[in-house]
Amino acid sequence: MKKIILSLAAVLAFALTSDAQTRKGTVLLGAGSSLTESGWMDLQITPKVGYFVQDGVAVGAMINFSNNNVDKTDYELSNSESSIGVFARYYVSNNLFSEVGLSSVSKSDELYGDIKSVGTNNGNQVEVTDTRVIEESTSSMDINLGVGYTIVWREHFAIEPFVNLVFSNGEVKSYDVANSKVTSDDVKGTNFDLGVNFSLFF
């Protein structure tokens, strides 16, 4: 009987602690990462900050920027990704929440490859091959619809696993080697995104 009472008390304390994190006026500082496209050893952290405008309802902003450079003897390659957006979160219960977000995402990847063009040699047209850095870029507007669960630890810290349904609409620019020109294509897609947030409430 004593064990049952202690267990119920622990559950009640956990519920009250979880509810306290979502009261009006609470500030949320978090950092999340998608596990769908990267492993634990290659996480891209997206910081976010939010404010509870009323009990169980928070609004905020998120921003992410990453840049990687690869230095070679004759050239340097750069890969970058940036995103900025806003989100709104609603706690369905003490721990379960739904979240909607809107973000602008830009990606740029540099490659080293052959560029073919037509030149002249003694008045004759010849194919000229030039090896150089080629850039491919993607820009999109993403809508995220998701659900998550807040696991509170030590009152102010929480781990929040989540799953999102992501709708993307954007443009891809790449170099068409065969026709020696930059091409632009529209891209649309829908995918599921699994990840985890680490949040502070105060």
Side-chain angles (χ1 to χ4, degrees):
M1 184 66 179
K2 184 178 180 181
K3 291 183 178 180
I4 295 176
I5 294 175
L6 290 176
S7 298
L8 291 174
V11 172
L12 179 60
F14 178 82
L16 292 175
T17 301
S18 302
D19 183 61
Q21 317 308 315
T22 63
R23 290 176 183 168
K24 180 180 179 180
T26 299
V27 176
L28 163 66
L29 290 179
S33 180
S34 168
L35 302 179
T36 303
E37 298 181 356
S38 60
W40 286 102
M41 301 301 294
D42 189 29
L43 296 181
Q44 293 187 1
I45 303 300
T46 302
K48 61 168 57 176
V49 58
Y51 181 79
F52 283 85
V53 294
Q54 67 180 57
D55 291 354
V57 179
V59 295
M62 48 193 173
I63 187 171
N64 174 52
F65 177 78
S66 63
N67 185 71
N68 297 311
N69 292 321
V70 178
D71 292 323
K72 298 292 185 179
T73 304
D74 300 325
Y75 60 91
E76 178 182 353
L77 299 180
S78 177
N79 300 313
S80 63
E81 179 176 351
S82 64
S83 64
I84 183 170
V86 294
F87 71 92
R89 176 184 292 189
Y90 171 68
Y91 276 83
V92 181
S93 65
N94 286 342
N95 303 86
L96 183 66
F97 65 85
S98 60
E99 188 170 293
V100 58
L102 177 66
S103 58
S104 174
V105 181
S106 298
K107 298 180 182 179
S108 177
D109 296 311
E110 291 183 341
L111 309 171
Y112 193 67
D114 294 335
I115 304 297
K116 295 182 179 180
S117 59
V118 177
T120 58
N121 184 13
N122 296 325
N124 299 318
Q125 286 190 344
V126 294
E127 187 178 78
V128 179
T129 300
D130 179 24
T131 304
R132 63 188 188 198
V133 175
I134 306 169
E135 182 181 6
E136 296 183 353
S137 62
T138 303
S139 59
S140 67
M141 186 66 67
D142 294 353
I143 298 176
N144 302 276
L145 303 177
V147 294
Y149 192 82
T150 299
I151 304 171
V152 178
W153 185 70
R154 296 285 179 96
E155 186 177 357
H156 295 290
F157 177 75
I159 300 173
E160 300 173 330
F162 68 84
V163 60
N164 281 339
L165 179 60
V166 183
F167 301 92
S168 298
N169 187 3
E171 179 185 44
V172 175
K173 290 184 178 180
S174 59
Y175 190 84
D176 186 349
V177 176
N179 297 301
S180 302
K181 65 177 182 179
V182 176
T183 60
S184 177
D185 298 298
D186 294 332
V187 292
K188 295 182 180 180
T190 303
N191 64 282
F192 280 99
D193 184 20
L194 177 66
V196 61
N197 291 322
F198 301 94
S199 300
L200 289 173
F201 298 85
F202 60 93

